[in-house]
Amino acid sequence: QVQLVESGGGLAQAGDSLRLRCAASGGTVSSYGMGWFRQAPGKEREFVAALRRSGGMTYYAPSVKGRFTISRDNAENTVSLQMNSLKFEDTALYYCAAVPGFAIASTLMNPDGYTYWGQGTQVTVSS
């Protein structure tokens, strides 16, 4: 069973950049489809970005495409989310998630498709 721990959140101003990191233990990130989701107060958890287990295919929510980049470091067993040009509406609790094996795009973009979740890291963007 893989355990996921997020880090890198914090307070930023609009236009700034942050890099979130998801460290995995008990499993290798190369064996999982990996995703980032976020949840703002009073809202449902929403898809942000995902990375297919093999082939490097990535997926992004329209609201973050062109600003956020998901990547995997197999040597460090981590998945990162580089967030540039932050906006106030990016404020949320960000979660890392993993699904074992191959998963299609619709699964990777759905929180119900994931088996393992981290505890989240808070990102607050001031306007």
Side-chain angles (χ1 to χ4, degrees):
Q1 177 171 331
V2 66
Q3 290 84 44
L4 305 172
V5 178
E6 304 94 336
S7 61
L11 180 63
Q13 292 187 333
D16 283 354
S17 297
L18 284 176
R19 187 176 182 87
L20 304 185
R21 183 174 178 268
C22 174
S25 59
T28 56
V29 294
S30 59
S31 298
Y32 295 83
M34 301 297 298
W36 286 95
F37 291 79
R38 67 187 182 187
Q39 189 167 17
K43 295 187 176 181
E44 293 187 353
R45 190 169 300 190
E46 66 172 0
F47 168 72
V48 176
L51 179 63
R52 186 173 281 180
R53 183 197 68 175
S54 60
M57 187 73 71
T58 57
Y59 307 91
Y60 296 95
S63 60
V64 307
K65 194 169 186 178
R67 299 189 297 122
F68 291 11
T69 303
I70 187 172
S71 61
R72 174 168 45 213
D73 187 327
N74 291 333
E76 293 193 353
N77 209 28
T78 59
V79 173
S80 295
L81 184 69
Q82 177 66 41
M83 307 188 296
N84 298 330
S85 302
L86 284 164
K87 302 177 181 180
F88 174 75
E89 50 264 40
D90 294 322
T91 296
L93 186 61
Y94 282 71
Y95 296 92
C96 175
V99 53
F102 178 83
I104 61 176
S106 58
T107 298
L108 291 171
M109 291 187 283
N110 185 342
D112 292 336
Y114 287 81
T115 308
Y116 304 106
W117 290 85
Q119 294 300 309
T121 185
Q122 178 68 38
V123 172
T124 303
V125 183
S126 60
S127 58

